[in-house]
Amino acid sequence: MSELDLPEVLAIDRAGLIDGLASSVETFDQARAGAEALDIPFSPDVVKDVLICGMGGSAIAGDLVTTLYYERLRHPVQVHRGYYLPGWAGPDTLHLLLSYSGETEETLTAAMQALERESPALGVTSGGKIESWYGEHGVPVLKIPGGLQPRMALLHMLVPTVVFLSRLGIIPEQTADLDAARDAIGAAIDAYGPDRPTEANTAKQLALRLADGVPLIYGSEVTAGIANRWKCQFNENAKQPSFHAILPELNHNEIVGFEQAGAFGEQARVVILKDPRQHRQIERRIALTRDIIKPGVADIITLEGEGDTPLARLMDLVILGDYVSLYTACLRRVDPEPVDSIGTLKKGLATTGNQRLQAGESGSI
Ligand code: PA5
């Protein structure tokens, strides 16, 4: 019997993040209903381009959506991480502010600038200053449940992002795709959840292959955002170094590094996320990349999501990655929930930092 089939091994997940994934279909329904009901007080005609502003576990929803819909976007959409907005963002730029806590200073700084530039805006948050500032300025805010780790509130960010962009005509109408995605989430929980034993559970099998090494997650086009999500989940849940890179770009640099990978190569576990929607050359690149890097890495795994639509396959791979990283935490005997280093950094910034944000002021930064 595998360790991951023993309740005492999974018990290190004290906050119950693994069990929490079981309610993802209900979370999806709640997030979808909230986003569909939110009153958007401006016309879609106003919006010429979109900035999705956020950091970390909140911003990843923007990556997932922009990479998934990239070739179907009807207007430019960019994910903004950081302080200064790009110079081109103006009164016809929709700012979608994603911050689980509503207190992240980079996102708050972006929010202040969006108000100054009189841009249309929408917020998604569990509270904090995003809710209060934006409430004061009449910006619609979708309030989502509190008390979660931001990275475990992904569906509360991702589903509204899809719904809002669909309602505003930035991406094609999504009703059928959302229905299929909901089914994919249910199937993924059944396939990868803790009750399914290791011999029939891809997530547990992957965790056993990845727990001792450094997962290097490679994506491309529709899977590019998923690769970043997996990397971040290994970092935060399993407290494990992990990195991601994107094809075809990595064919122009990263593959050379494995020619002399040395001791790092013994740690490197490459996971390649693919999708049938990818350009046909990507399939050839994946095959060639595998052959070229094989002597320099310890393991190479290629995965494809289950489902009939890109959004359904994305959901399958995202839920798979969540389970893999949580099982990996259990194998590494670490509680997946705390992220002490992030908390320490944010506390340090609060004591040394941005007084205007702490005072909740808006106005020029
Ligand atoms: O996973 C995390 O806790 C972080 O990556 C946060 O999401 C990030 O610091 C941003 O915080 P928030 O999502 O509250 O805006």
Side-chain angles (χ1 to χ4, degrees):
M1 180 186 264
S2 137
E3 282 177 87
L4 290 172
D5 297 327
L6 300 172
E8 59 269 31
V9 171
L10 301 187
I12 194 151
D13 172 25
R14 294 190 189 88
L17 302 191
I18 295 173
D19 289 341
L21 284 176
S23 55
S24 295
V25 173
E26 291 74 25
T27 305
F28 180 96
D29 288 342
Q30 192 184 358
R32 183 177 181 180
E36 287 174 347
L38 190 79
D39 182 39
I40 299 180
F42 45 84
S43 155
D45 299 339
V46 172
V47 179
K48 299 289 183 278
D49 40 52
V50 180
L51 271 185
I52 301 176
C53 307
M55 300 302 298
S58 294
I60 196 72
D63 291 336
L64 291 168
V65 170
T66 50
T67 56
L68 185 73
Y69 292 100
Y70 191 71
E71 84 283 7
R72 291 179 284 166
L73 293 174
R74 295 171 177 163
H75 297 270
V77 181
Q78 184 175 314
V79 180
H80 169 73
R81 289 178 167 88
Y83 292 95
Y84 289 121
L85 292 182
W88 53 261
D92 48 14
T93 302
L94 169 68
H95 289 75
L96 178 55
L97 276 294
L98 303 179
S99 174
Y100 183 73
S101 62
E103 295 287 357
T104 299
E105 73 165 42
E106 301 94 315
T107 315
L108 290 169
T109 307
M112 289 158 77
Q113 294 169 83
L115 289 173
E116 287 169 4
R117 296 183 192 192
E118 299 182 350
S119 305
L122 297 169
V124 182
T125 186
S126 70
K129 296 193 186 76
I130 290 284
E131 185 192 15
S132 53
W133 282 356
Y134 268 24
E136 274 169 31
H137 288 83
V139 172
V141 172
L142 178 64
K143 180 102 188 260
I144 61 177
L148 300 169
Q149 282 292 331
R151 63 189 182 280
M152 303 315 286
L154 176 71
L155 292 177
H156 285 297
M157 296 285 173
L158 176 63
V159 177
T161 301
V162 172
V163 170
F164 293 152
L165 295 185
S166 172
R167 285 180 63 186
L168 292 166
I170 309 290
I171 59 174
E173 207 278 323
Q174 286 300 301
T175 303
D177 278 15
L178 284 165
D179 292 343
R182 181 184 191 277
D183 293 344
I185 292 171
I189 293 163
D190 186 43
Y192 313 132
D195 296 338
R196 189 167 285 266
T198 300
E199 67 263 24
N201 190 324
T202 305
K204 290 182 180 179
Q205 292 166 13
L206 286 169
L208 289 161
R209 284 172 76 170
L210 298 171
D212 285 340
V214 177
L216 303 177
I217 317 297
Y218 292 170
S220 178
E221 300 172 347
V222 293
T223 65
I226 309 170
N228 191 14
R229 168 71 176 181
W230 275 53
K231 168 249 189 267
C232 295
Q233 293 296 77
F234 281 114
N235 295 152
E236 293 185 58
N237 288 336
K239 317 327 177 210
Q240 188 176 19
S242 177
F243 305 92
H244 86 293
I246 304 302
L247 284 151
E249 176 65 19
L250 71 87
N251 286 164
H252 300 269
N253 34 64
E254 184 151 331
I255 53 168
V256 186
F258 294 108
E259 291 176 15
Q260 296 287 334
F264 178 75
E266 290 157 29
Q267 300 293 308
R269 313 279 195 274
V270 173
V271 179
I272 304 175
L273 305 177
K274 54 185 234 177
D275 189 273
R277 199 183 172 89
Q278 287 169 333
H279 193 285
R280 63 183 178 283
Q281 283 296 92
I282 297 293
E283 187 69 36
R284 297 190 61 210
R285 283 178 180 276
I286 289 172
L288 289 165
T289 301
R290 288 183 63 107
D291 290 345
I292 291 167
I293 66 174
K294 198 170 174 198
V297 302
D299 201 355
I300 307 178
I301 300 161
T302 304
L303 298 169
E304 188 172 301
E306 299 282 337
D308 295 333
T309 66
L311 184 61
R313 291 191 292 275
L314 175 142
M315 289 295 182
D316 178 65
L317 282 179
V318 165
I319 301 272
L320 174 60
D322 284 6
Y323 276 118
V324 174
S325 63
L326 291 166
Y327 294 142
T328 300
C330 296
L331 290 171
R332 292 165 61 83
R333 306 294 190 262
V334 292
D335 183 347
E337 202 235 0
V339 280
D340 293 342
S341 301
I342 296 175
T344 304
L345 188 128
K346 287 186 177 179
K347 273 195 203 111
L349 279 174
T351 52
T352 54
N354 195 327
Q355 303 303 321
R356 302 203 54 213
L357 283 174
Q358 287 161 40
E361 290 175 27
S362 61
S364 182
I365 54 166

